[in-house]
Amino acid sequence: MQIAVLSGFVLAILVPLISRWCGSRTGLILALYPAAIAFWLVSLMPEVLQSGGIYFEQAWAPSLGLSLSFWLDGLSLLFGLLISGIGTLIIIYASGYLHGHPQLARFYVLILSFMSSMLGVVMADGLMTLFVFWELTSITSYMLIGFNHEDAAARKSALQGLLVTFTGGLALMSGLIMLNVAGGSWSLQTLLNDGDALREHALYLPMLLCLLGGAFTKSAQFPFHFWLPNAMAAPTPVSAYLHSATMVKAGIYLMARLQPGLGGTETWMTILCIVGAITMVVGAFLAIRFSGIKKVLAYSTVMALGTLTMLLGIGGEAAMIAFVTFLAAHSLYKGALFMVAGALDHETGTKDIDEMGGLRRAMPVTALCAFVAAMSLGGVIPLFGFVAKELMFEAVLDAPRYTGFLIGMSLLASVLVVAAAGIVALRPFFGALKATPKDPHEAPLSMLAGPCVLAGLSLVLGFMPWLAGDGLLNAAASAVMGTEVATDLYLWHGINTALMMSMFSLCVGLLVCWRWSGVRGAIHRFSPILDRGPEAVYWKLMDLLVRVAEWQTRLLQSGYMRNYLILTLLTFVGLTGYTLLVRHGPVFDLELDVRLQEVVVAFVTAASAIMACMMRSRLAAVATAGVMGFGIALIFLLFSAPDLAITQLLIETLTVILLILVLFRMPRFSSFSTPMERVRDMFVAVSTGVLMTLLILTVLGQDLFTSISEYMIENSEPLGHGHNIVNVILVDFRALDTLGEIFVLSLAAIGVLAMLRLQAKEKKAS
């Protein structure tokens, strides 16, 4: 299983070579990878349906209890098939959409990396494995959204998406750590099997809020929804993939995965139902505000994500069946519609619906795909979207809490999304033919394969929903529910309240579509209010961040080394001193056996350090500093470290000589500080010295670990074949440390030699 997930990264590394060898056929060859993943997952379906799941574990950091573990059950199987199946169509689509693009190979690298990251997210069992792949999706999606990096809007949108999702990622990391603390395991399986313990734990509320924060930012829930439509700056293949089956559903996947362990509480239901319902209506409302076809589809995606979140909040068997059905239906029709939008842009040169019209004759296949997929979006019988919509209404009608509120919000969102579906399906293709920047013609086969397959599946599964429901969707719903669920999908549910709601939303939605221009004009009057929404808050926060950064830079980055040292030392004294003296308290458990010669040497060393600071003569200052160094060498000698003493003497002698040679070429000492500044510097120096003394005494008074001295003494001769223990440590036990130090010194010597030779050349030239 890990090979399937990680092989995409290996393939991404090989893309430049494959692109050089295969040229324009690269996309078709690379599409074999997700296609193979899809066939592999299909082959595992019988085992998953029979056993409930397949588990794989590879030790990662055994001492920390961490492993690279994967779990393939019904939920991860459904997501894996959507990711790999739609991913296959997207890569083929991109080979036509981006044909001739100079950075096409870079696109393949990023899309394959993103695909593998998403597969890792939905198959991960370990919490840290999940988090690593989660962050990889954020990084790769940032590069995909900003693919056209010369476009300032693309860079701006990519950065916005990265900041929002990374902020949520930090919350997610905190939540996962608390989940481990509460459940005592890094395995999702183990944790979710003991949901009662998690729900009753004292950390349940903060853990839930952090986990939902990560999910909400990733899946564009209100008030974090604004980044998703702005991500339309990406090329259409990216939009079609990220917003149909992958990144924006990562948060939905996380909430569905955590449902058995954390769901079912009043807090869970309240947050998910209210946030999901608000997101659903906001997305549907904003979908009819804009005329850009990708904007309309992006906001309808926000609506769908809100619907899925609401269904998870409702809970219960009916809601879980509606959840997985709506998830699959949305992936099919939204992937098709985004690819249709790309075909329209590619062949007409515009994304604005107002500039399109009468294209059904020039682009008949595209028009048919758009019509079928949009009807599934609107929930029109006999499309698969109709089945999902009926199940959603039935789940809302059976909601145990907030029933009236959820019914009203669902009905309003359905009306608006029917209008959005009609706008996408009818306006570009019907009516009078309008002049476009390009002469319209049918898209190439590579760009039609994806919409045709996905729209065709929406139609086939509408007539025969049991093809998906009896196996895959049943297993997925059971995984989300945490218990076995009987999924019985069928097209006709009879004449009931849900059907009446569907018919009402269809009629009113088509009326809104017919009067769209007037409705959009009415909405435009409220633009000053709408433009002050969450996105405006985001930009104000970014401006505040810049101002704070400028202020702290002026305060801290003054350009004076003395100020940097003072701030660093005061921070160290404050934080470490507080921890040591207030929270921990110094522990002095030492039996001091001080000899007279040690006191004398220590006194002379300290006195020389003080005198070095007071001397006005350069030679006297260097000499007293040298006395301090020689005093340290004597301390080493008194404590039976002759090797260190000799090293200290050699270094100190060389340093004194170099200082004398340098100082005689420099101006005399001058006083650049006031008396008060010198008092301040003395306070900082004394505080640091006292704290270091207390810290060392405290550390020496603790016996947290067994001393390694005995090991070194016992093994220096048998293992290192040397009687000098220090030498054995340097060249055997810590050989790599010594090698690193030699390497650093060699680099420094090479640098000095280069400077000397440069100076000699300059003298010769002059």
Side-chain angles (χ1 to χ4, degrees):
M1 194 177 298
Q2 81 280 15
I3 295 176
V5 173
L6 301 178
S7 57
F9 295 108
V10 177
L11 183 61
I13 296 173
L14 299 177
V15 163
L17 291 176
I18 297 173
S19 178
R20 186 179 303 171
W21 294 337
C22 302
S24 60
R25 296 185 298 275
T26 301
L28 297 177
I29 294 172
L30 295 178
L32 295 175
Y33 164 70
I37 296 294
F39 281 113
W40 172 70
L41 291 173
V42 170
S43 70
L44 294 177
M45 190 181 299
E47 184 178 354
V48 171
L49 297 180
Q50 182 178 2
S51 63
I54 303 172
Y55 181 74
F56 172 83
E57 182 178 15
Q58 174 67 46
W60 185 3
S63 60
L64 299 177
L66 298 177
S67 61
L68 188 66
S69 55
F70 297 97
W71 172 246
L72 185 66
D73 64 354
L75 180 64
S76 52
L77 181 63
L78 172 61
F79 271 92
L81 284 172
L82 292 175
I83 292 166
S84 56
I86 296 178
T88 302
L89 300 175
I90 290 295
I91 292 179
I92 296 173
Y93 180 86
S95 67
Y97 185 87
L98 296 173
H99 180 72
H101 195 288
Q103 298 295 324
L104 181 57
R106 180 165 65 90
F107 173 84
Y108 289 141
V109 170
L110 296 176
I111 201 73
L112 287 170
S113 301
F114 176 78
M115 187 183 302
S116 297
S117 302
M118 274 302 306
L119 287 171
V121 168
V122 301
M123 295 183 186
D125 177 67
L127 298 183
M128 288 300 104
T129 307
L130 171 67
F131 180 74
V132 168
F133 283 115
W134 182 281
E135 293 302 281
L136 283 175
T137 62
S138 295
I139 295 170
T140 49
S141 67
Y142 163 73
M143 292 187 283
L144 283 169
I145 295 170
F147 178 74
N148 296 321
H149 51 81
E150 295 180 356
D151 183 2
R155 297 196 304 270
K156 188 177 181 180
S157 298
L159 183 60
Q160 184 184 71
L162 181 71
L163 291 175
V164 173
T165 55
F166 258 34
T167 302
L170 294 175
L172 174 65
M173 181 177 66
S174 302
L176 293 176
I177 293 172
M178 285 189 280
L179 188 59
N180 167 257
V181 172
S185 174
W186 291 104
S187 170
L188 274 170
Q189 275 192 93
T190 305
L191 292 167
L192 299 180
N193 287 335
D194 193 12
D196 291 336
L198 295 176
R199 288 185 285 267
E200 294 170 3
H201 199 277
L203 290 174
Y204 175 76
L205 182 58
M207 172 174 60
L208 179 64
L209 293 176
C210 288
L211 292 171
L212 291 181
F216 285 175
T217 53
K218 200 77 160 184
S219 286
Q221 297 298 297
F222 182 87
F224 309 109
H225 63 282
F226 55 85
W227 74 264
L228 191 152
N230 291 335
M232 293 301 104
T236 300
V238 176
S239 303
Y241 196 44
L242 266 66
H243 301 146
S244 63
T246 52
M247 180 184 175
V248 294
K249 285 199 175 79
I252 300 298
Y253 167 80
L254 178 65
M255 291 186 284
R257 177 57 74 197
L258 298 175
Q259 159 77 20
L262 302 180
T265 65
E266 189 71 24
T267 305
W268 172 277
M269 180 178 292
T270 300
I271 294 176
L272 267 65
C273 284
I274 293 177
V275 172
I278 292 174
T279 304
M280 178 174 60
V281 172
V282 168
F285 171 75
L286 293 176
I288 64 171
R289 182 189 176 196
F290 298 95
S291 62
I293 188 168
K294 289 180 69 176
K295 281 275 190 180
V296 173
L297 294 175
Y299 278 114
S300 68
T301 299
V302 173
M303 180 282 304
L305 297 172
T307 304
L308 293 168
T309 301
M310 179 190 68
L311 291 171
L312 287 172
I314 292 173
E317 186 171 319
M320 295 306 100
I321 295 172
F323 168 81
V324 296
T325 308
F326 197 97
L327 174 74
H330 174 263
S331 298
L332 296 178
Y333 64 66
K334 192 53 63 69
L337 287 173
F338 266 113
M339 287 190 241
V340 165
L344 288 171
D345 176 32
H346 194 268
E347 308 307 333
T348 65
T350 180
K351 300 184 183 74
D352 196 332
I353 296 175
D354 288 337
E355 297 178 3
M356 303 179 197
L359 295 173
R360 67 186 183 280
R361 292 186 178 87
M363 307 176 69
V365 179
T366 303
L368 180 61
C369 292
F371 184 79
V372 173
M375 292 305 98
S376 186
L377 167 63
V380 178
I381 195 169
L383 280 304
F384 194 41
F386 171 78
V387 179
K389 186 176 180 180
E390 290 285 288
L391 292 173
M392 183 269 290
F393 279 142
E394 290 177 1
V396 168
L397 290 169
D398 292 336
R401 297 282 190 279
Y402 316 111
T403 308
F405 169 74
L406 296 179
I407 290 174
M409 299 293 275
S410 300
L411 198 56
L412 176 58
S414 296
V415 168
L416 296 172
V417 83
V418 167
I423 292 166
V424 173
L426 302 176
R427 292 201 169 242
F429 301 101
F430 294 88
L433 181 64
K434 295 182 180 180
T436 54
K438 293 182 181 179
D439 291 331
H441 55 84
E442 192 58 87
L445 180 61
S446 59
M447 295 177 62
L448 291 176
C452 288
V453 170
L454 296 178
L457 284 174
S458 295
L459 184 60
V460 171
L461 292 178
F463 280 108
M464 296 179 287
W466 59 86
L467 291 177
D470 290 348
L472 180 60
L473 297 185
N474 182 75
S478 299
V480 179
M481 190 68 185
T483 58
E484 190 66 28
V485 172
T487 304
D488 187 16
L489 298 185
Y490 44 91
L491 178 61
W492 181 249
H493 293 237
I495 299 176
N496 52 26
T497 306
L499 181 63
M500 294 298 102
M501 294 173 67
S502 292
M503 296 304 296
F504 174 81
S505 64
L506 183 63
C507 295
V508 179
L510 290 176
L511 179 63
V512 174
C513 175
W514 179 47
R515 304 292 299 172
W516 180 47
S517 299
V519 172
R520 195 150 49 97
I523 294 174
H524 183 71
R525 298 173 188 171
F526 297 94
S527 292
I529 298 175
L530 296 174
D531 291 339
R532 298 190 180 188
E535 186 173 7
V537 175
Y538 166 83
W539 291 120
K540 288 186 180 297
L541 287 175
M542 291 299 102
D543 292 339
L544 178 62
L545 179 64
V546 171
R547 289 197 296 270
V548 171
E550 291 174 346
W551 168 78
Q552 69 89 21
T553 301
R554 289 193 301 269
L555 178 67
L556 301 178
Q557 304 293 321
S558 60
Y560 293 99
M561 181 63 71
R562 179 176 60 186
N563 291 347
Y564 297 160
L565 287 174
I566 290 172
L567 285 172
T568 302
L569 294 175
L570 285 178
T571 302
F572 167 72
V573 170
L575 297 179
T576 309
Y578 171 77
T579 304
L580 178 65
L581 301 176
V582 177
R583 300 195 60 182
H584 181 271
V587 179
F588 307 141
D589 187 16
L590 298 173
E591 295 182 2
L592 298 179
D593 184 13
V594 182
R595 294 172 291 178
L596 178 61
Q597 59 268 33
E598 295 170 357
V599 174
V600 172
V601 172
F603 176 79
V604 171
T605 303
S608 61
I610 296 172
M611 293 300 295
C613 298
M614 299 175 61
M615 290 293 178
R616 293 189 173 275
S617 168
R618 292 174 299 180
L619 185 59
V622 172
T624 51
V627 172
M628 178 182 65
F630 292 134
I632 294 173
L634 287 175
I635 292 174
F636 289 149
L637 189 62
L638 290 173
F639 284 90
S640 303
D643 291 0
L644 291 176
I646 293 172
T647 304
Q648 176 69 20
L649 285 171
L650 292 174
I651 292 176
E652 196 62 41
T653 302
L654 180 62
T655 302
V656 169
I657 294 172
L658 289 175
L659 280 174
I660 291 174
L661 293 175
V662 170
L663 288 176
F664 270 111
R665 292 178 174 270
M666 296 180 67
R668 294 185 175 275
F669 287 165
S670 299
S671 179
F672 292 104
S673 57
T674 65
M676 288 302 298
E677 289 176 334
R678 287 195 288 273
V679 171
R680 177 201 62 192
D681 296 345
M682 182 179 69
F683 169 78
V684 173
V686 171
S687 300
T688 305
V690 170
L691 178 63
M692 285 302 303
T693 302
L694 295 176
L695 191 61
I696 291 173
L697 292 175
T698 302
V699 170
L700 292 176
Q702 304 288 323
D703 189 15
L704 301 177
F705 303 100
T706 304
S707 174
I708 62 172
S709 301
E710 296 298 328
Y711 175 85
M712 299 295 183
I713 294 171
E714 293 174 0
N715 293 282
S716 62
E717 185 175 355
L719 297 181
H721 305 287
H723 296 282
N724 189 314
I725 298 175
V726 175
N727 288 349
V728 171
I729 292 173
L730 291 176
V731 301
D732 286 293
F733 294 138
R734 297 183 59 188
L736 291 178
D737 289 351
T738 305
L739 179 64
E741 293 168 3
I742 293 172
F743 182 73
V744 171
L745 291 173
S746 300
L747 284 179
I750 293 171
V752 171
L753 179 62
M755 293 176 64
L756 292 175
R757 287 185 174 179
L758 180 63
Q759 186 179 16
K761 287 182 179 180
E762 290 177 350
K763 286 183 178 180
K764 288 182 179 180
S766 60

